[in-house]
Amino acid sequence: MAHEHLADLLDLDAVVLSEYHREVAEWVSAHLPERGRVIDVGAGTGTGTIALARQLPDAEVIALDVDGEMLKHIQDKARASGLAGRIRTVQADLDQAWPDGLKNADLVWAANSLHHMHDPAHAVAQIYQMLRPGGLLAVTELESFPRFLADPAGAALEERIHTAMARGRDEAGMHMHEDWPARFAEAGFAVESERHFAIALQPPPGSPMAASVARYAMVTLSRARHGLADKLSVDDIAELNAQVLALPARDDLTVRTSRKVWLARKPAG
């Protein structure tokens, strides 16, 4: 069930933030040869895998993830998109050695995945070794997780939720506050570019996107309710339950989040 909810959340992120994902994929693809090899590290449900395969129609795209069910999900999406012949999936725990048989890549793409690594410096060093000379590393990390409730009471509740979730991520050892440019430089990369994306969406009431945003909010807040059962007050849990139940009838939901993207190049010489 946890896997299904996470897959649903990632797919909804791809739908609701489709313009952001398209823009990032276009920007990154403009820095690559058309017939390159792409490795998507921690591919999840394949948002980046699919976007890059579409942007680079002559490229080979390889999705790596530790979760076999996620990789099956990517295979299903690739078939549905007519991309099955160009996308390969490989199950791998990237906190361990990279799998044998992978050839050097022109691009390694890591979208919201590096902060999960046990040792980020080691992970970035392995990526450096996997890239051909002159190859590109593209890394996306969340600056702020999505928020949906714009009314004062809802916004205050979300603030408490996000504070508790951040504390939980720190306790779990996630590297949310990593100095990624410093990690890239330590491994030998030269940072070419950095972009900040501040996303604020409010879809028209009754539109298909409004329904997707409501579903995105429901899955996000339901996951928070499950994960924070012992970290929020009884009153906050009750208010969160009420907010989740009311989501389908609301027409004022927004999506507010921010993300940062870095492009780092392995020297050609």
Side-chain angles (χ1 to χ4, degrees):
M1 185 63 69
H3 162 83
E4 292 176 2
H5 285 172
L6 178 57
D8 196 10
L9 180 64
L10 294 175
D11 282 344
L12 285 163
D13 182 275
V15 170
V16 172
L17 304 183
S18 59
E19 286 302 307
Y20 156 77
H21 292 296
R22 180 194 55 77
E23 183 176 354
V24 173
E26 284 184 354
W27 177 52
V28 173
S29 298
H31 293 76
L32 295 167
E34 291 184 359
R35 294 183 179 275
R37 179 179 296 108
V38 176
I39 298 178
D40 185 358
V41 174
T45 57
T47 300
T49 306
I50 299 294
L52 290 165
R54 286 172 171 158
Q55 287 296 322
L56 296 164
D58 295 318
E60 174 191 10
V61 184
I62 303 165
L64 302 185
D65 203 277
V66 70
D67 189 328
E69 290 300 315
M70 289 291 191
L71 295 176
K72 291 178 183 176
H73 195 78
I74 293 174
Q75 292 165 358
D76 290 342
K77 290 171 70 173
R79 282 192 291 271
S81 303
L83 299 169
R86 294 182 40 237
I87 291 174
R88 181 159 64 96
T89 59
V90 177
Q91 188 169 4
D93 181 353
L94 298 177
D95 280 320
Q96 308 300 320
W98 280 57
D100 294 334
L102 286 181
K103 297 180 181 179
N104 282 8
D106 297 278
L107 168 68
V108 171
W109 168 282
N112 305 319
S113 60
L114 288 187
H115 65 259
H116 289 285
M117 302 299 178
H118 176 70
D119 184 347
H122 178 66
V124 174
Q126 288 200 110
I127 290 170
Y128 185 90
Q129 294 302 317
M130 182 55 58
L131 281 166
R132 66 165 180 80
L136 190 68
L137 168 63
V139 172
T140 300
E141 284 291 332
L142 285 152
E143 287 190 315
S144 64
F145 284 77
R147 302 188 185 212
F148 305 94
L149 307 176
D151 61 287
L157 174 64
E158 276 193 314
E159 178 64 30
R160 295 192 294 275
I161 289 170
H162 280 257
T163 298
M165 291 177 69
R167 187 164 57 248
R169 286 189 288 269
D170 289 343
E171 291 170 355
M174 291 189 184
H175 298 272
M176 302 304 303
H177 313 294
E178 199 76 11
D179 184 346
W180 293 111
R183 290 283 176 254
F184 306 149
E186 288 169 4
F189 286 102
V191 177
E192 286 193 348
S193 190
E194 176 181 310
R195 288 182 65 180
H196 169 84
F197 292 83
I199 300 165
L201 303 175
Q202 185 168 15
S207 66
M209 183 57 73
S212 294
V213 167
R215 178 65 180 158
Y216 189 32
M218 181 169 292
V219 173
T220 300
L221 293 176
S222 295
R223 280 175 57 83
R225 178 178 57 186
H226 176 75
L228 299 175
D230 59 346
K231 294 181 175 64
L232 292 176
S233 70
V234 173
D235 287 344
D236 278 348
I237 291 293
E239 185 177 352
L240 179 53
N241 287 336
Q243 290 281 2
V244 169
L245 288 172
L247 286 173
R250 293 188 64 157
D251 62 4
D252 63 339
L253 295 176
T254 64
V255 183
R256 307 180 307 281
T257 184
S258 60
R259 305 184 182 195
K260 188 168 282 188
V261 186
W262 297 270
L263 299 184
R265 182 83 62 180
K266 182 175 179 176

